[in-house]
mmCIF file of all heavy atoms in Angstrom:
data_model
loop_
_atom_site.group_PDB
_atom_site.id
_atom_site.type_symbol
_atom_site.label_atom_id
_atom_site.label_comp_id
_atom_site.label_asym_id
_atom_site.label_seq_id
_atom_site.Cartn_x
_atom_site.Cartn_y
_atom_site.Cartn_z
ATOM 1 N N HIS T 21 110.375 108.058 89.647
ATOM 2 C CA HIS T 21 109.867 107.343 90.827
ATOM 3 C C HIS T 21 109.253 106.075 90.256
ATOM 4 O O HIS T 21 108.310 106.149 89.463
ATOM 5 C CB HIS T 21 108.839 108.236 91.543
ATOM 6 C CG HIS T 21 107.777 107.524 92.335
ATOM 7 N ND1 HIS T 21 107.366 107.953 93.588
ATOM 8 C CD2 HIS T 21 106.979 106.462 92.059
ATOM 9 C CE1 HIS T 21 106.396 107.178 94.041
ATOM 10 N NE2 HIS T 21 106.140 106.262 93.137
ATOM 11 N N ASN T 23 107.515 102.472 91.176
ATOM 12 C CA ASN T 23 106.916 101.690 92.262
ATOM 13 C C ASN T 23 107.505 100.282 92.275
ATOM 14 O O ASN T 23 107.712 99.684 91.222
ATOM 15 C CB ASN T 23 105.400 101.630 92.088
ATOM 16 C CG ASN T 23 104.750 102.942 92.470
ATOM 17 O OD1 ASN T 23 104.803 103.913 91.714
ATOM 18 N ND2 ASN T 23 104.185 103.003 93.656
ATOM 19 N N ASP T 84 104.439 106.069 98.887
ATOM 20 C CA ASP T 84 103.594 106.653 97.836
ATOM 21 C C ASP T 84 102.158 106.761 98.343
ATOM 22 O O ASP T 84 101.595 105.791 98.857
ATOM 23 C CB ASP T 84 103.666 105.724 96.610
ATOM 24 C CG ASP T 84 103.092 106.351 95.360
ATOM 25 O OD1 ASP T 84 103.005 107.589 95.288
ATOM 26 O OD2 ASP T 84 102.750 105.580 94.430
ATOM 27 N N HIS T 85 101.551 107.928 98.225
ATOM 28 C CA HIS T 85 100.154 108.152 98.629
ATOM 29 C C HIS T 85 99.851 107.659 100.052
ATOM 30 O O HIS T 85 98.947 106.843 100.260
ATOM 31 C CB HIS T 85 99.180 107.478 97.651
ATOM 32 C CG HIS T 85 99.162 108.134 96.311
ATOM 33 N ND1 HIS T 85 98.533 109.339 96.079
ATOM 34 C CD2 HIS T 85 99.738 107.788 95.138
ATOM 35 C CE1 HIS T 85 98.712 109.682 94.809
ATOM 36 N NE2 HIS T 85 99.453 108.766 94.230
ATOM 37 N N GLU T 143 94.303 104.203 92.308
ATOM 38 C CA GLU T 143 95.508 103.942 93.091
ATOM 39 C C GLU T 143 95.048 103.154 94.302
ATOM 40 O O GLU T 143 94.281 103.658 95.122
ATOM 41 C CB GLU T 143 96.150 105.267 93.515
ATOM 42 C CG GLU T 143 97.450 105.125 94.264
ATOM 43 C CD GLU T 143 98.652 104.907 93.357
ATOM 44 O OE1 GLU T 143 98.517 105.050 92.128
ATOM 45 O OE2 GLU T 143 99.714 104.579 93.887
ATOM 46 N N ILE T 176 96.347 111.210 85.130
ATOM 47 C CA ILE T 176 95.509 110.141 85.691
ATOM 48 C C ILE T 176 96.382 108.908 85.926
ATOM 49 O O ILE T 176 97.235 108.588 85.100
ATOM 50 C CB ILE T 176 94.372 109.760 84.696
ATOM 51 C CG1 ILE T 176 93.510 110.987 84.367
ATOM 52 C CG2 ILE T 176 93.513 108.640 85.244
ATOM 53 C CD1 ILE T 176 92.440 110.726 83.322
ATOM 54 N N HIS T 177 96.143 108.224 87.039
ATOM 55 C CA HIS T 177 96.864 106.966 87.280
ATOM 56 C C HIS T 177 96.350 105.883 86.329
ATOM 57 O O HIS T 177 95.170 105.854 86.001
ATOM 58 C CB HIS T 177 96.628 106.475 88.716
ATOM 59 C CG HIS T 177 97.357 107.272 89.759
ATOM 60 N ND1 HIS T 177 96.713 107.970 90.737
ATOM 61 C CD2 HIS T 177 98.675 107.452 89.977
ATOM 62 C CE1 HIS T 177 97.610 108.551 91.524
ATOM 63 N NE2 HIS T 177 98.808 108.256 91.079
ATOM 64 N N GLY T 178 97.217 104.997 85.938
ATOM 65 C CA GLY T 178 96.804 103.867 85.097
ATOM 66 C C GLY T 178 96.763 104.240 83.623
ATOM 67 O O GLY T 178 97.437 105.165 83.178
ATOM 68 N N HIS T 207 102.256 112.585 88.845
ATOM 69 C CA HIS T 207 101.787 111.206 89.047
ATOM 70 C C HIS T 207 101.202 110.699 87.727
ATOM 71 O O HIS T 207 101.000 111.464 86.794
ATOM 72 C CB HIS T 207 100.728 111.172 90.157
ATOM 73 C CG HIS T 207 101.319 111.260 91.532
ATOM 74 N ND1 HIS T 207 101.285 110.224 92.427
ATOM 75 C CD2 HIS T 207 101.978 112.262 92.161
ATOM 76 C CE1 HIS T 207 101.895 110.577 93.545
ATOM 77 N NE2 HIS T 207 102.322 111.819 93.415
ATOM 78 N N GLY T 208 100.924 109.396 87.691
ATOM 79 C CA GLY T 208 100.299 108.841 86.481
ATOM 80 C C GLY T 208 101.205 108.914 85.274
ATOM 81 O O GLY T 208 100.773 109.252 84.170
ATOM 82 N N GLY T 209 102.491 108.592 85.467
ATOM 83 C CA GLY T 209 103.478 108.726 84.388
ATOM 84 C C GLY T 209 103.309 107.740 83.236
ATOM 85 O O GLY T 209 103.937 107.893 82.192
ATOM 86 N N THR T 210 102.463 106.737 83.405
ATOM 87 C CA THR T 210 102.260 105.738 82.346
ATOM 88 C C THR T 210 101.463 106.301 81.180
ATOM 89 O O THR T 210 100.377 106.838 81.391
ATOM 90 C CB THR T 210 101.498 104.514 82.925
ATOM 91 O OG1 THR T 210 102.365 103.835 83.820
ATOM 92 C CG2 THR T 210 101.024 103.556 81.837
ATOM 93 N N ASN T 229 106.231 109.809 88.407
ATOM 94 C CA ASN T 229 105.890 108.500 88.969
ATOM 95 C C ASN T 229 105.423 107.534 87.886
ATOM 96 O O ASN T 229 104.502 107.845 87.127
ATOM 97 C CB ASN T 229 104.748 108.647 89.979
ATOM 98 C CG ASN T 229 105.142 109.428 91.215
ATOM 99 O OD1 ASN T 229 106.199 110.040 91.264
ATOM 100 N ND2 ASN T 229 104.277 109.407 92.212
ATOM 101 N N VAL T 230 106.053 106.357 87.865
ATOM 102 C CA VAL T 230 105.690 105.338 86.876
ATOM 103 C C VAL T 230 105.437 104.021 87.604
ATOM 104 O O VAL T 230 106.282 103.555 88.365
ATOM 105 C CB VAL T 230 106.834 105.136 85.851
ATOM 106 C CG1 VAL T 230 106.447 104.067 84.822
ATOM 107 C CG2 VAL T 230 107.186 106.452 85.150
ATOM 108 N N ASN T 231 104.287 103.441 87.369
ATOM 109 C CA ASN T 231 103.976 102.147 87.965
ATOM 110 C C ASN T 231 103.388 101.187 86.930
ATOM 111 O O ASN T 231 103.988 100.166 86.609
ATOM 112 C CB ASN T 231 102.998 102.336 89.138
ATOM 113 C CG ASN T 231 102.661 101.032 89.826
ATOM 114 O OD1 ASN T 231 103.436 100.075 89.779
ATOM 115 N ND2 ASN T 231 101.506 100.960 90.448
ATOM 116 N N THR T 232 102.229 101.562 86.380
ATOM 117 C CA THR T 232 101.503 100.640 85.498
ATOM 118 C C THR T 232 102.362 100.162 84.325
ATOM 119 O O THR T 232 102.324 98.984 83.959
ATOM 120 C CB THR T 232 100.217 101.323 84.983
ATOM 121 O OG1 THR T 232 99.470 101.773 86.120
ATOM 122 C CG2 THR T 232 99.362 100.374 84.173
HETATM 123 P P1 LIG Y 301 100.952 105.026 86.768
HETATM 124 O O1 LIG Y 301 100.520 103.718 87.346
HETATM 125 O O2 LIG Y 301 99.912 105.643 85.909
HETATM 126 O O3 LIG Y 301 102.275 104.933 86.095
HETATM 127 O O4 LIG Y 301 101.100 106.045 87.997
HETATM 128 C C1 LIG Y 301 102.003 105.766 89.013
HETATM 129 C C2 LIG Y 301 101.877 106.747 90.127
HETATM 130 O O5 LIG Y 301 101.539 107.892 89.944
HETATM 131 C C3 LIG Y 301 102.229 106.283 91.471
HETATM 132 O O6 LIG Y 301 102.018 107.266 92.432
#
Side-chain angles (χ1 to χ4, degrees):
H21 153 138
N23 285 76
D84 193 21
H85 291 285
E143 183 81 10
I176 302 176
H177 287 118
H207 282 248
T210 291
N229 293 11
V230 180
N231 181 25
T232 305

